[in-house]
Amino acid sequence: DAGVTQSPTHLIKTRGQQVTLRCSPKSGHDTVSWYQQALGQGPQFIFQYYEEEERQRGNFPDRFSGHQFPNYSSELNVNALLLGDSALYLCASSLFRGGYTFGSGTRLTVV
Amino acid sequence: GNSVTQMEGPVTLSEEAFLTINCTYTATGYPSLFWYVQYPGEGLQLLLKATKADDKGSNKGFEATYRKETTSFHLEKGSVQVSDSAVYFCALSDQSSYKLIFGSGTRLLVRP
């Protein structure tokens, strides 16, 4: 049974560019959450998607946006990249109010 | 707001030593509490959880007890192994929110 799959695993972008990260949830899960983990820090909640809608959002600017597709997969988009956006981006899937399964993350480096 | 505070690392132990990683929380109501582990280059894995006061979560020799009176959820293991070397995160989830709130993590290094 495949767990949470994220792509790409690593990428390097230039300041001001835009990036899209992708997540396929664990089979049977219908909810996707995104977290940002800066180096040496704990993950910070970005937002959660359920039934193709953003259900809750953390303290992140509007440059961070997302989408959930009918097959429950999700994308995280970040516009106008800043050096401070360099981090590990983690996707977690779950059933409503259920336990979370995390992916291995996408390591984004902004130069 | 809700928050989690963990002891700073790194924690360095010899194999078979006793481990304690302290975690305290601030939250309204009755949150669920979790310990996650992150191995190098990987995502987070749920280690154990507790959903109400006095519950004890346990897994792979690790234990933590939900102490509401002291707002704590300390992680313990009686005999650590080299393979336990990782970063450990304490987290909470409150009933009115969909998100996990994490501590800053504690790095554990176990030497042979």
Side-chain angles (χ1 to χ4, degrees):
Chain A
D1 179 24
V4 177
T5 304
Q6 292 188 243
S7 63
T9 55
H10 298 82
L11 76 164
I12 301 173
K13 290 287 189 178
T14 304
R15 273 183 302 176
Q17 285 188 316
Q18 180 265 346
V19 67
T20 298
L21 311 181
R22 296 177 175 82
C23 173
S24 293
K26 181 178 179 178
S27 178
H29 285 181
D30 59 6
T31 301
V32 174
S33 304
W34 288 92
Y35 289 79
Q36 181 195 66
Q37 185 180 12
L39 194 63
Q41 301 296 315
Q44 299 292 317
F45 176 77
I46 302 175
F47 41 54
Q48 184 181 88
Y49 277 84
Y50 173 69
E51 292 188 339
E52 302 181 48
E53 293 191 357
E54 183 182 290
R55 184 158 65 180
Q56 187 175 10
R57 186 178 185 91
N59 188 26
F60 279 80
D62 292 344
R63 298 186 297 108
F64 290 76
S65 63
H67 188 77
Q68 186 179 34
F69 300 93
N71 66 352
Y72 308 120
S73 67
S74 177
E75 290 182 348
L76 164 65
N77 301 290
V78 187
N79 295 321
L81 284 166
L82 304 174
L83 295 179
D85 295 331
S86 296
L88 180 67
Y89 288 85
L90 295 166
C91 173
S93 73
S94 63
L95 284 171
F96 180 65
R97 291 290 189 196
Y100 296 92
T101 300
F102 281 83
S104 297
T106 294
R107 172 73 63 188
L108 171 64
T109 302
V110 182
V111 297
Chain B
N2 297 342
S3 65
V4 175
T5 303
Q6 290 181 235
M7 62 186 292
E8 290 194 16
V11 174
T12 303
L13 296 173
S14 298
E15 203 165 24
E16 300 184 359
F18 184 85
L19 168 71
T20 299
I21 299 177
N22 291 336
C23 170
T24 57
Y25 68 90
T26 301
T28 55
Y30 300 89
S32 294
L33 301 174
F34 307 84
W35 277 100
Y36 283 85
V37 59
Q38 187 173 38
Y39 297 100
E42 298 185 12
L44 301 175
Q45 298 177 24
L46 177 64
L47 184 58
L48 53 84
K49 67 178 182 181
T51 57
K52 61 183 186 294
D54 300 325
D55 265 3
K56 177 184 284 187
S58 62
N59 185 28
K60 300 180 182 179
F62 291 90
E63 294 183 340
T65 301
Y66 190 142
R67 301 287 189 198
K68 188 162 180 63
E69 64 275 15
T70 55
T71 62
S72 65
F73 192 56
H74 305 321
L75 182 68
E76 296 182 336
K77 186 176 185 183
S79 176
V80 294
Q81 305 300 311
V82 172
S83 58
D84 293 327
S85 298
V87 180
Y88 292 80
F89 291 94
C90 184
L92 70 81
S93 175
D94 71 51
Q95 294 172 337
S96 64
S97 170
Y98 302 108
K99 65 182 180 182
L100 287 168
I101 297 172
F102 288 88
S104 57
T106 303
R107 181 175 299 277
L108 170 65
L109 176 60
V110 180
R111 294 178 170 167

